[in-house]
Amino acid sequence: MHTCLQISEILRIIFAEVTQVTGGGVQPSYALYHLALTCRAFREPALDALWAHIPTPDVLVMCLPQDARSQPMLKMTMENFDQFECTPSGIAAAFRVRLLRPLTTDDWATFQMYARRVRSLTFAKYDAESYALMRDRGLHDSAALALLGSPALPFSPFPLLRELYWNDQRDVLLPCLQRCISNSLTRLVIHSELWPSAMVDLVAGLGKACPMVKEFRCSMPPASACAMISDIVTYWDDLEILEMGVVNAQQALQHLASLEKLRELKMLVPEGHSLDEDLASTFSVKFSLDEFSITAARIEPLLAFLAPLKISAKSANLKIDTASNADDLGQLLSSLIEHFYPNVLESLDVWMARPTDPTNHALSELSASIFQKIRAFTGLTNLNLSSIHASMTDHELLDLISAWPKMEHFYLNTAWDWGVARLRVTFHGLAGILERCPNLRSLGVDLDTSPPHDPPVYVDNQYTGIARDKVTELNVGSAECNDVETIGSLLAEMCPNLISIGRACPVNLNYEDPSANNEWFDGEAKWEEVRGFIAQRRSGQLEQNNV
């Protein structure tokens, strides 16, 4: 064997190339297994690479002797019918890996020999339906508890664990989660459906238990636990990404603002949050981030929470979980310039929940003047206001969008179809948007598809205006489609590479009785015909060019 292959650093580089990295994560290649058996020099680094990323916990038992673990059934036969309890849960359990006997000292030594190599461990979300239908062939709960919750193990069976993704969302395996926590963790994701006191205590202690954390993502805890959990961030000085429930304490917010490496922050506004007037005059926090995201139940607590914040961020995402009236929403949009640096912000997304009362559309309809202050964000390349109910003329919209010549993705008033007549963007306005935004890639406007009679679209439907090859996605809002060929021809000339056409969803969509929505589905089919017409026309032009 060549001398260079005896250098462990070189072997690790080679084995890293063998490891498969996909969009879903890192998948170890079984070529590593064969390399580990090739020669003694390859064994240790190959096993380190093979066991570094564990995508499912059932892999952990594969190192145990065959008489210690079950073989999960691939299908049910008459021969194995008597091997499980004849109940739905018993049948489903037979398809999961179980321990057949207590583990011996030698078994534990073998397990630890491999567990100490694990750098990344994932517990996938428990899917009750897949489990009941016998599609879930993971590790049985009893085996997981015996393996990871056993007192025979040291506090953490994975001393070199760097990444832990806990998506099980149940509390039954909480002892396993406790065993996986170690001071070596740098990335920790915890999504829990239930929050028993033991889970709250565990998360509240993560600050001290995992001082090296750089990325922490956690689902929303109960309101009673928010104050306790909020303090954990004060222990992390190397934090780069934070996504958790409430970060409410003044000390916690100031600590986060002081972190130079923090680039992504996602949080919730505590329910009932209000700003103390005395605190407002003295409390001020400045953040410098790449991405800032915040979710609130209503606009009022969101405004109160944002009041002391100045945020230098490239991307801002604001989500409100309940529909709001025009006055509150207008106040929010107008206040954004006070909290976000206009020369930094490149992407802005303001999302409103689906309205529950479609009869009050006028109470939430915004006029063009409400949007004037966000014109100050001249560097925007992405603006998503699709859920915001607005009414404006072509002239007003074009005046607004002229402030954003770098725009690549623009959506306004295309999420919900109120089922009422109002001002919409004509084909003339659509052409104006394309002219003012040369970098546009996706667009959503509430389109007026009535027969056009004004330039740049003539009576004979021959378009002679601006075309944008980069535009591939279009949302037409609540637009009707009464003439597939005419509308398709116009859109094909404006956006020749258009491949996707979306529509607004009715605010009163009947999910219980789909037949009540036949008119909307008929419209969906019409717009699918338009998309097919454009695709066919594009294919024809390509064939013609190749002749």
Side-chain angles (χ1 to χ4, degrees), residues 28-240:
S29 169
Y30 282 100
L32 292 170
Y33 171 75
H34 296 293
L35 285 170
L37 299 177
T38 301
C39 69
R40 188 173 299 175
F42 287 178
R43 176 179 167 82
E44 289 301 312
L47 287 176
D48 284 344
L50 181 62
W51 283 83
H53 302 275
I54 303 300
T56 57
D58 55 296
V59 176
L60 297 172
V61 302
M62 293 297 103
C63 63
L64 298 176
Q66 292 187 1
D67 69 319
R69 53 182 169 84
S70 68
Q71 294 293 331
M73 290 192 305
L74 301 180
K75 63 179 180 178
M76 188 185 306
T77 64
M78 292 301 297
E79 287 76 13
N80 58 31
F81 186 80
D82 59 350
Q83 297 180 13
F84 47 81
E85 181 183 352
C86 193
T87 63
S89 60
I91 296 174
F95 284 79
R96 310 200 99 197
V97 180
R98 294 167 295 167
L99 295 181
L100 300 179
R101 60 169 174 77
L103 299 185
T104 66
T105 302
D106 289 341
D107 294 334
W108 285 119
T110 300
F111 174 71
Q112 287 180 293
M113 181 181 69
Y114 291 99
R116 63 178 173 81
R117 307 174 191 272
V118 178
R119 268 43 171 199
S120 175
L121 177 60
T122 300
F123 275 74
K125 180 180 178 180
Y126 174 81
D127 190 330
E129 181 178 355
S130 294
Y131 183 80
L133 294 176
M134 296 168 287
R135 300 193 192 118
D136 190 349
R137 296 183 173 90
L139 187 64
H140 194 271
D141 290 349
S142 62
L145 290 169
L147 199 61
L148 299 181
S150 171
L153 285 175
F155 180 75
S156 175
F158 312 107
L160 297 181
L161 192 65
R162 298 288 185 270
E163 303 175 358
L164 176 59
Y165 304 92
W166 189 270
N167 301 304
D168 191 86
Q169 297 192 342
R170 299 176 299 159
D171 61 345
V172 64
L173 296 185
L174 187 56
C176 298
L177 174 59
Q178 292 173 317
R179 287 284 183 172
C180 293
I181 297 299
S182 72
N183 57 12
S184 63
L185 285 173
T186 59
R187 177 177 296 175
L188 179 57
V189 177
I190 298 178
H191 292 301
S192 177
E193 188 173 276
L194 301 175
W195 281 82
S197 58
M199 172 65 85
V200 175
D201 293 339
L202 173 65
V203 174
L206 290 176
K208 294 181 178 179
C210 310
M212 299 172 60
V213 165
K214 296 181 179 180
E215 177 179 347
F216 180 67
R217 301 181 188 270
C218 183
S219 57
M220 182 180 177
S224 58
C226 289
M228 181 190 306
I229 295 177
S230 178
D231 292 336
I232 66 175
V233 301
T234 59
Y235 293 91
W236 293 327
D237 295 327
D238 297 322
L239 201 59
E240 298 175 5

Side-chain angles (χ1 to χ4, degrees), residues 267-333:
M267 66 178 78
L268 297 169
V269 176
E271 181 63 31
H273 177 83
S274 61
L275 186 65
D276 184 271
E277 294 183 2
D278 295 332
L279 182 62
S281 60
T282 58
F283 179 36
S284 178
V285 180
K286 295 182 180 180
F287 283 96
S288 180
L289 308 159
D290 288 338
E291 181 179 346
F292 177 83
S293 301
I294 192 164
T295 300
R298 294 172 294 106
I299 288 181
E300 295 90 335
L302 175 59
L303 288 171
F305 191 87
L306 290 176
L309 306 185
K310 284 288 288 184
I311 305 164
S312 174
K314 295 180 181 179
S315 174
N317 299 276
L318 289 76
K319 180 182 177 183
I320 300 94
D321 286 337
T322 55
S324 302
N325 59 51
D327 291 339
D328 291 340
L329 185 53
Q331 185 179 356
L332 174 62
L333 294 177

Side-chain angles (χ1 to χ4, degrees), residues 445-475:
V445 290
D446 197 21
L447 192 62
D448 181 0
T449 56
S450 58
H453 300 290
D454 54 342
V457 182
Y458 293 93
V459 177
D460 60 358
N461 302 316
Q462 182 62 44
Y463 178 67
T464 59
I466 300 293
R468 294 298 180 206
D469 294 341
K470 295 180 181 179
V471 177
T472 58
E473 298 180 14
L474 175 67
N475 192 306

Side-chain angles (χ1 to χ4, degrees), residues 348-368:
L348 175 61
D349 188 332
V350 181
W351 176 260
M352 303 287 298
R354 183 176 72 90
T356 56
D357 185 2
T359 62
N360 287 334
H361 76 94
L363 296 178
S364 58
E365 186 175 75
L366 299 181
S367 63

